Amino acid sequence: MSTFDQGLIAEIKSRLRIEDVVGRFVELRSVGNRLVAPCPFHQETKPSFSVNPEGGFYYCFGCQASGDLIEFYRAINGMEFGEAVEALAREAGVQVRSRAAVQRPGEVSRTQCLNQHALAVRFYQRVLSSPAGEQARAYLAQRGIRSATIEQFALGWASAGWNDLRDYLRSQNHGYEAGVRCGLLSTSAKGSFYDRFRERLMFPIMNLSGQVIAFGGRSLDDEQGPKYLNSSETPIYTKGEHLYGLYQARRSMAHHKHVLLTEGYVDVLSLHQFGFTQSCGVLGTALTREQVHRLSGLVARVDLIFDGDAAGHKAALRSAEMILTQGLQCRVVCLPEGQDVDSVLHASGPAMLESLLDQAVDGLDYCLRQVVITKAPKDVLVWAIGFVSQLHKLDWRAFYIPKVAAGLGLAEEELRQALAHKDGLIQIQGAARLAACPPAQRDRELLAFAIRFPTYRNNLLQEGMAKALTTERAQNFWQKLVELSPQEILRQLDAGEKQFYVQCQMRVQQDGNGQDEWEEVQGFLRHIQQRQELDTLHAELRTARLHGNFQEELRLLALIQDLAQG
């Protein structure tokens, strides 16, 4: 991963206004010196989301989402921090001056991987439109995939040749070893290099910046190798973190506030062709927490559209459970037996799918129904304990426990007792309590002052702020405030610290320069310092008495009297 030169983020913020970027996703209206809107990060209609243009921060009083311009762009697009910085830098016309991390011999950088994938996707697209791609074009036509969709999703064809892409990459000054580490080439037992993808319809997988980071390749000959071959993990691609079509669907998802999540590549293409542009797909594996987290930055609800067979029902149960335990709403669209969304759309048109969407089942109701139908009675309680144990917030548990117990025919008290005896749940609750514990109220007041009035931080240092803080967490927070610049600090704060930091930034400051508050804080810090000095002198006095040192005892008593009177 690269780190960014000092000042880059400040330069981006000087060229882009947070209210302009936020305004692309929600309609802001002015209230005093702030802008408000319904929060784009959770489902609501009240204007609990507040933007402070002067401070460059946002805060939601409903879900506590908070941060600056970079954090908003990262969260709303489901990006990594570095991806958000690079995307905003391009938009602002700022040159990204990144310092590449030390690269060991034989390794490839993210930039090298992205460059090779950019070359590969154009290469596969050219092959698809050439005589060598005739079979693939016929297959796409037979599946009803239009040319506009092919272009929008950058579909391509990997020809039968063993060295076609390899030689092309070489002509563009990319070595064979680098091609292997980028996931585009493979190595034989004899040490020769060849194309990883051959005779396959190529589905590029993109990040939310539209950069190709991996491929899924479908064989058109079921007897020749695996039906699907996906990219291996590389510096730019980790399995289980990305979704197919998310880049193309992101704006529509943000508009609709929900996503249609399906399984196959072609299912996603068909959904987009028939107007359901808020659609994306899982990538050949079970839905993961990382994928749900990526979706949660864009939508509040996930509608699952999986195949109407036993495997589809099993996948829907597992996925709905995953989505619900991550705090999102979920619905399950029940397709006719033996059909997938592609066949429904081509056979009956979008009206049929709209009808099925109207009849979608609530995600929890679907899970409970499937558990009752498919599991033995002894396994029902086991599932219930497992489901609730994945809920990491106490208010979520309070909401779900009665519903789960009622839906499965369990006594609520029986379920609560079983949960209380589950070691994993107790550990989760303990961790949740520790993470939620705030510093002492006094520490919060001191830190809030330091955040709101940064010009006083040197004065706080001189008055012994660090010794006045009572908890280790508060002391660590203070250290970050002292050592980090405003451009760096949000990246280094944990979730609780970040929320507190932005809350303080968003507070209305009645006194413009904080002078009145400073006098109160200064008096308190000096009182604490005096008390600590007295404690030290009293400890030394006890030692002098213990050793019978009368002269030292008299000296210390005089110092204590002077300090107490002063």
Side-chain angles (χ1 to χ4, degrees):
M1 180 179 293
S2 295
T3 56
F4 297 98
D5 287 346
Q6 189 78 7
L8 171 63
I9 293 173
E11 191 172 351
I12 292 171
K13 290 180 178 180
S14 72
R15 299 193 185 193
L16 298 177
R17 301 192 305 172
I18 187 171
E19 60 268 33
D20 292 337
V21 174
V22 174
R24 301 172 193 171
F25 300 90
V26 292
E27 186 175 346
L28 294 166
R29 62 184 180 84
S30 180
V31 176
N33 63 345
R34 304 180 191 280
L35 300 167
V36 299
C39 180
F41 297 112
H42 76 283
Q43 197 77 7
E44 65 160 12
T45 56
K46 296 179 180 179
S48 63
F49 185 81
S50 177
V51 177
N52 182 337
E54 183 178 352
F57 291 97
Y58 67 90
Y59 180 72
C60 175
F61 294 91
C63 69
Q64 285 77 55
S66 60
D68 60 0
L69 168 68
I70 310 293
E71 173 60 19
F72 178 85
Y73 195 83
R74 184 208 65 75
I76 201 72
N77 289 299
M79 292 177 163
E80 299 297 331
F81 175 81
E83 293 174 332
V85 171
E86 291 174 355
L88 287 170
R90 287 194 297 272
E91 185 174 326
V94 178
Q95 183 179 0
V96 178
R97 304 177 298 275
S98 61
R99 301 187 298 271
V102 176
Q103 189 173 317
R104 299 187 185 94
E107 287 188 345
V108 291
S109 67
R110 285 179 55 86
T111 300
Q112 287 175 291
C113 281
L114 290 169
N115 289 342
Q116 286 208 23
H117 279 77
L119 291 170
V121 70
R122 291 194 291 270
F123 177 82
Y124 292 138
Q125 285 179 293
R126 286 196 297 270
V127 176
L128 178 63
S129 61
S130 73
E134 183 179 356
Q135 178 189 8
R137 294 197 302 275
Y139 171 82
L140 290 169
Q142 181 262 323
R143 294 297 301 265
I145 306 302
R146 303 170 192 148
S147 58
T149 305
I150 294 171
E151 182 177 351
Q152 180 188 7
F153 286 83
L155 304 188
W157 174 249
S159 59
W162 285 73
N163 304 320
D164 294 354
L165 179 63
R166 184 200 72 174
D167 293 344
Y168 174 68
L169 292 175
R170 185 68 171 181
S171 73
Q172 302 298 309
N173 300 315
H174 290 278
Y176 298 154
E177 294 86 353
V180 173
R181 291 182 175 86
C182 290
L184 297 171
L185 304 181
S186 297
T187 311
S188 71
K190 295 181 179 180
S192 59
F193 300 93
Y194 60 92
D195 294 356
R196 174 180 175 85
F197 298 99
R198 301 178 308 282
E199 281 196 284
R200 291 183 178 275
L201 183 60
M202 301 299 288
F203 298 90
I205 299 160
M206 303 177 187
N207 63 21
L208 281 165
S209 298
Q211 298 166 305
V212 177
I213 56 173
F215 289 97
R218 189 196 192 285
S219 173
L220 303 186
D221 183 352
D222 293 340
E223 297 181 0
Q224 188 172 0
K227 182 176 180 180
Y228 287 99
L229 179 65
N230 297 318
S231 289
S232 56
E233 293 198 352
T234 68
I236 59 173
Y237 176 68
T238 301
K239 291 183 178 179
E241 288 191 358
H242 300 273
L243 295 124
Y244 181 67
L246 186 58
Y247 170 72
Q248 289 83 356
R250 71 199 189 287
R251 297 194 186 282
S252 181
M253 288 165 55
H255 172 73
H256 287 89
K257 304 298 183 186
H258 72 270
V259 60
L260 305 183
L261 185 63
T262 187
E263 291 181 291
Y265 295 111
V266 175
D267 288 343
V268 173
L269 302 181
S270 294
L271 282 163
H272 276 257
Q273 278 195 171
F274 281 89
F276 301 94
T277 53
Q278 71 276 34
S279 307
C280 62
V282 294
L283 289 166
T285 59
L287 186 67
T288 67
R289 291 181 185 276
E290 291 75 15
Q291 289 172 324
V292 175
H293 178 71
R294 200 168 285 266
L295 291 173
S296 69
L298 294 168
V299 297
R301 192 185 82 214
V302 180
D303 290 350
L304 296 170
I305 311 180
F306 288 175
D307 294 353
D309 55 16
H313 289 305
K314 186 176 180 180
L317 170 62
R318 186 170 55 243
S319 299
E321 180 180 347
M322 176 73 69
I323 293 162
L324 292 169
T325 56
Q326 297 304 300
L328 275 71
Q329 300 174 46
C330 176
R331 301 194 312 166
V332 179
V333 179
C334 299
L335 297 178
E337 178 71 29
Q339 292 196 41
D340 58 27
V341 68
D342 176 63
S343 63
V344 168
L345 286 169
H346 282 96
S348 306
M352 172 59 79
L353 183 58
E354 288 282 10
S355 176
L356 293 171
L357 285 168
D358 290 340
Q359 302 168 45
V361 179
D362 174 78
L364 181 62
D365 292 343
Y366 180 87
C367 288
L368 300 177
R369 187 175 69 188
Q370 288 296 310
V371 168
V372 170
I373 292 173
T374 62
K375 296 188 181 295
K378 64 183 179 64
D379 295 326
V380 171
L381 181 59
V382 174
W383 181 89
I385 294 170
F387 175 81
V388 178
S389 296
Q390 295 177 71
L391 299 167
H392 299 328
K393 292 189 177 180
L394 296 179
D395 55 342
W396 295 357
R397 292 191 190 141
F399 175 79
Y400 277 114
I401 286 175
K403 293 179 177 290
V404 170
L408 296 178
L410 301 171
E412 185 176 331
E413 185 58 31
E414 175 189 8
L415 177 56
R416 290 186 182 277
Q417 289 177 358
L419 288 166
H421 288 88
K422 189 177 188 305
D423 290 340
L425 178 59
I426 293 171
Q427 291 170 0
I428 290 170
Q429 287 178 328
R433 283 195 299 270
L434 288 173
C437 280
Q441 184 60 34
R442 189 172 62 197
D443 288 357
R444 292 178 65 87
E445 292 297 327
L446 291 171
L447 289 170
F449 177 81
I451 293 168
R452 294 173 61 210
F453 304 105
T455 55
Y456 285 95
R457 288 181 192 167
N458 284 334
N459 303 78
L460 291 168
L461 272 172
Q462 294 169 8
E463 297 289 351
M465 172 78 155
K467 291 182 179 179
L469 297 170
T470 59
T471 66
E472 183 180 359
R473 181 170 174 78
Q475 291 164 359
N476 290 337
F477 195 171
W478 167 243
Q479 196 70 22
K480 293 176 184 177
L481 288 175
V482 171
E483 294 179 353
L484 299 172
S485 71
Q487 290 74 34
E488 295 174 311
I489 190 164
L490 280 177
R491 283 185 289 158
Q492 303 300 324
L493 300 181
D494 64 32
E497 292 171 337
K498 185 187 297 182
Q499 180 182 331
F500 179 65
Y501 182 87
V502 176
Q503 279 180 319
C504 293
Q505 289 278 354
M506 298 293 286
R507 278 172 56 183
V508 176
Q509 299 172 9
Q510 300 295 338
D511 184 345
N513 58 18
Q515 181 61 38
D516 291 343
E517 288 186 57
W518 165 240
E519 291 176 0
E520 181 182 353
V521 168
Q522 185 183 43
F524 172 75
L525 291 176
R526 289 181 175 178
H527 170 72
I528 290 294
Q529 188 174 14
Q530 181 187 50
R531 192 178 68 186
Q532 290 171 345
E533 290 176 6
L534 282 170
D535 289 343
T536 300
L537 290 172
H538 279 294
E540 292 176 359
L541 180 62
R542 287 192 295 271
T543 302
R545 284 175 176 169
L546 183 65
H547 291 88
N549 190 338
F550 183 67
Q551 292 298 324
E552 179 66 7
E553 188 176 346
L554 289 176
R555 187 185 72 84
L556 291 169
L557 282 170
L559 289 174
I560 290 172
Q561 186 176 10
D562 289 343
L563 189 60
Q565 290 176 349

